[in-house]
Amino acid sequence: MEKESRFQKELAELHKAEKLENANKISWERPKVPEFDPDMENIAFQQMEIIDNYNSLKQEISLQLFGATENGNSVMCEVYNFQPYFYVPAPTGFDPNNLERVRSFLNSQLSGDNGLNKVLDTVTKIETYNKESLYGYTGGNKIPFWKIYTRIPKSISSTRRLFERGFELPTIGHYAAQTFESNLEYVVRFLVDCKIVGSGWVELKAGKYKVRDESAKKSHCQIEVEIDWKDLISHEPIKEWSKIAPLRIISFDIECAGRKGIFPEPQHDRVIQIACMVTAQGQNKPFIRVLFALDECAPIVGSQVISCSTEEILLTKFAEFMKTVDPDVVIGYNTGNFDLPYILDRADHLKINAATFLGRLKSTRSIVKDARFSSKAVGTRDRKDINLDGRVQLDLLQAILRDYKLRSYTLNFVSAHFLGEQKEDVPHTIITDLQNGNSETRRRLGVYCLKDAYLPQRLMDKLMLLVNYIEMARVTGIPFNYLLTRGQQIRVISLLYRSAKDQDYVIPAMDVERGSGTDQYEGAIVIEPMRGYYDVPIATLDFASLYPSIMIAHNLCYTTLVSKIAIDRLNLVENQDFKATPTNDYFITSNKRKGLLPYILEMLLSARKMAKKDMANETDSFKVQVLNGRQLALKIVANSVYGFTGATIGRLPCLQISSSVTAFGRMMIEFTKRQVEENFTKANGYEHDAIVIYGDTDSVMVKFGTPDLAESMRIGKVAADLITTKFISPIKLEFEKVYFPYLLINKKRYAGLYWTKTSTWDKLDSKGIETVRRDNCQLVQMLVEKSLRLMLVDRNVTAAVDFAKQCISDLLQNKVDLSQLIITKQLSKTDYAGKQAHVELAERMRKRDAGSAPQLGDRVAYVITKGSKGALAYEKAEDPIYVLDHGLQIDSKYYLENQLVKPLTRIFEPILGDKVSSLFNGEHTRIIHLSTPTSGGLMKFAVKSETCLGCRIPLSNSKKSNIKASSNNDFSRAVCEYCLPKLPEIYLKNLIISNNFQRKYARLWTECQRCQSIMHENVLCANSDCPIFYMRTKAQHDNDKHKKIMERFETSW
Amino acid sequence: MVSIATLRSRKEVDLEISFKKFEPSLETFVQQYSGIYRKRLQTLWPVLLSKIEQKWNPNIGTALQPQNLTILSKIGDVSEKNDLAIIGTLSLSQKGKPSILEEISKSLWEKESSFPKNFWSENDELWLEDESGRILLELSNMKTAPVLVNGMVVAFYGDVLSNGTFVVKEFLDPGLAKQKEVQNHSIDQESDKYIAIISGLGLNQTESITKPMQMFAEFLSGVLGSDTASSLASSISCLVVAGNSIDINDTSSDFVLEKAKQYGLANTNDSVISSVINDEKDAFNNLDNYFVELAKLLPVLVMPGDLDPVSVLMPQKKIPANILLPNSLKYSSFYPLTNPSWFSIDEIKKSTKNKSALEVSISTLTGRHICPTSPDTLPCYPSLNHDPFILYEAPHVYFIGNQESFDITTYTDENGCKVTIVLVPKFKTTGDVVLINTSNFEAKIINFEL
């Protein structure tokens, strides 16, 4: 009986759970697709991803476009019949009637290529068009090119190789030729030819498309259609089509139960929680908040908690969730290299097939592939590639790594940096403990996990990443996914192809010469700085978009590059038909032929001007963001065109262009310097002779001599306008800002107070001054910042010197807070050459406690301690917490010599000159030995007796000497008899110190309570990137120590 | 601010001082602040529960009659539902609160700001939390806004929205604690007895005993003024000195230094603090002499304040009279006392928009907690399972020291319990001393301005 009733109860509960889940499911789904008639209604959608799909059965290629409609319905559109192709120049004198014979010859050579059915032709069609090679001017005549179509994209390269190797051509003989446009990706080819841009809108006209019914669907998208490529209509992303669909964005984070001291491994360690936040683009709060938790987890306010009894259920439910929510964009922090691969590897390990279907295609599993990404701009990085077919991935870590230079890239640091708040960080070991606790502790973990899942979304919003990336995709035309996974080059290539097609140029497929990357040409100029501290306004004159405007002004392009031979052959006249650049390369003038790159650049620059203008007139804040994203993207792309021509391992290097650009740049800076110094002189009626004190790449710093800010701004403007007239349009010298005062330390190292208007200064600006270097301790940063502030804002050089001296004195007297002395270094694999302090320390910490020791990839925080006599430098590094717990002494000399001397010398030398060494010697550097070590060595055996709080004389042990110390000293535990008259002062002094510690303790620990957003539980956070992490522990120690001192003032009265 | 001296006032003063409950109990600083909140919630939770059952019970027929009131035992269990009652500790998220983290992380290139004087802003978020989690409160539907600050334990009635927000319709606090019967107050009705309260003498290094202070001492001795004055003086049975007897004010002129001090980031080098120490010592010499004068006349009870040299952590310890006031201590009529919290009212005001000191004082009585913003913005001792500020018993007289001006009100709860709330002004700026009648708790002020 009883059994049955319990069973019934269980059933009822199961039923309840099921009902709840179904209700959930409905709330997770996308909005219903409105009824529509395919013969009457168009479908417009914003495509976000394009996949080429090869049907090996039918041996046919198609493209699948994924995206969302304005209603928020997901769409998959399969596009048929777009055939890949490339060009080769037709042999001279070839009879077009023989074209079919060439085709069958090629097919005989390529039969069965890439697994094609031998019955099928590899080359499906050859057509002849008149085109011109992009590379080099040869008179401007078009010649016939063969446009060779192949059945599948893979066959392009085998066909290309055939041409490059050469073969016997009927009626012509041996024929070998460079191919054109044979190295362009199929997807980009498609986009170029259809004039579709990445993340742009496409429209399918009524009657032209076919809707697939549910059973024929290949994807989970709500609407699935097919269409011929010629019927696809693309909308330029302007006006109404610049909108962004309400894309669904999922931000997620997983937690794993790691073992002590070992980073979680999918072969061993369970996935215990997955938190997901779903937001619709354009909205500021997630509308779905779900936590999948292993084992019973207590409910969390405002979120759905789905407790799963096994990991299998957990992972499967997550995959189902993905399918139901059907996000367009998947974001997270390091999800590309950790969370997603972990889920998939874990699912593989547990053999849960269903959990690996995370994409939109019904029959495609998501798998992990190792990939390497290397680019001149960002270096080489190993990463994992995961296909979530139809969904765009945006790993915030990757994006931030690419776009921002930071001290550290932990989520802790990044959120502190961009969101201005510290992140609670629960250590791995505690995560496992919380999981193994009860449903309440798992709730605690869940709250933490949800918070971490929300952070990427907030970071993305804050940095406007999605909007900016969409705009970048639109400006360059490449698919969204390429922006993170590919380099800068593809962006320029896409632009180049788009313009070339309109003007009948074909682009040569150049062989990338490996190892030829050593070709160097002279770069930008740096005018030797006249170092010093300038207490007069220094005006800065900048060339706006220097390199793009040089290329436009001088018509530098592949299409205008002309060789000496061609000049002679075509009888071109110098300075009329062509001009020589400072590097003695020749380019056709723009009135004879307008170059393609200048054309593209003009387009980009005017589009940017337009976007900026629209931005100024726009009132809707979201549209302003979109436009801002666009103008930024346009600027970045315009600047990368120059780099593209100079990339020697690139797709289309042309050093004649890039070296001419830098040479023009150098000339212009020098010319500007001369102009300034010749025109703005006493002889010409100015109060002072102007001097250019420094110049770099595209700017010069001018000392006009006047001490008056407004006057320097006025002359700055006059100078900029005057010199601009001497250059070819669109080159423009602009007056932008004045530095006043200005501290010029060296090349690329300076600081100054930045003024654009006379009323107030804008900011304190600095370049190349190591306030942010990671292996500096906070003290250095604080000291440099404060000194600069005193020098530049308060314009009080003496105060800056005094301040630096005071800090050095504090350091040597151990009065600097330990948290200011912490140095961090990353523990990476390659570190075993030579003994390094942080590596050695990590090893020692592992021996003490494997669980909390830093792991590979972590940053190790340490301070340098005095250590025993003769200890080697690497032995003196110690864990700050250990130092606090054991009262170890800091090696202040080390900090002075190895941390402070260099940066301080750098900023003070321009002022103090040779006297700079007086900072580090002299009265203020007297060292006071404060106390003896309290641990180690002989101290274990020493009897510790209290010393007088007034004069430090040892006090006789109060208990023993009770009889003897008959005296009237009630405070024999605090002071000696001689100091007794000074008791009030001694008490008051210690009280001030004690109160300072107590306030600090209270402020710090309440701060952490607020940050972890619960007051009823202890703070668990171990975020050692947080500036108050060590301070917090130190406050505990200081207070415990001082409490004992204050107790010594108590008597039994 | 204090209440708790139970007074049996006769011709000879019979003082029973029961301040023990406000002694700090400090274990170590290794523990954190969560214990205080847990103890607070555990103590007041059952009080609120029974009050909810009484007030929001549809069967009893109160003003509020929800059809299906559900009382949540854990906030974490909340789901989208109407007619819920929840109990928890308020957590007030205010951007304007002082933050040591912000202070430390801000660039030194930013302009310095002063330590915040008021934390309130439009964007404040109010959360209610217990051990299981927290929920965001939406208060716009409330007709009147009670004093709601961080650390108060209260109950709300309302609905939970799908986004997890709690829309408040009604609010409850624990209400006055039980009050002891006033003993013997019917005896001796012809001659009223008074307790005098003086606050904020504010001695400093330059001023010794001021003329008004001297006049006050003379008044107490009966030599000042008319017969009525001297008979009034003779009916004063004891004097309470309510905080800030000295006021060195070393940093308030420099807001950067003052801020560093408030965050515990001050420089405590000998050279920096030695002048303060000497000033304080001199001030205490003068104060000691003054208290000797007073202690000769009547019992003097001395409480510390935020400017007095005792630990900043609440509840404040006694001023170490054996070190600083050795001569006064020789008199048996001199009693140094602890201060449970006297500046907590000022601190609470900072978190509110425009609440008066009296409103705030009443809220601490009905909230049964005299220092709710500790530890959040007012430093206090950490403790594992002790919250020294809970009121287990309501006082008869509740006075707040160091106020700008005198004010008085009587709060009466639904059971007829009465508490007299008195704002005692700063003597230094007003010359006012407050007299409280021990039989009917009425108050009057005497002014010693020149």
Side-chain angles (χ1 to χ4, degrees), chain B residues 260-284:
Chain B
K261 183 175 153 190
Q262 291 298 331
Y263 282 121
L265 299 169
N267 191 332
T268 53
N269 280 357
D270 288 6
S271 57
V272 180
I273 58 178
S274 62
S275 71
V276 180
I277 292 167
N278 283 327
D279 292 348
E280 273 191 336
K281 200 199 144 209
D282 293 346
F284 263 97

Side-chain angles (χ1 to χ4, degrees), chain A residues 980-999:
Chain A
L980 194 57
K982 283 192 295 183
L983 183 68
E985 288 97 322
I986 295 167
Y987 167 80
L988 289 169
K989 175 187 148 190
N990 280 289
L991 181 76
I992 289 175
I993 297 169
S994 165
N995 276 348
N996 199 46
F997 284 146
Q998 291 182 346
R999 281 202 178 94

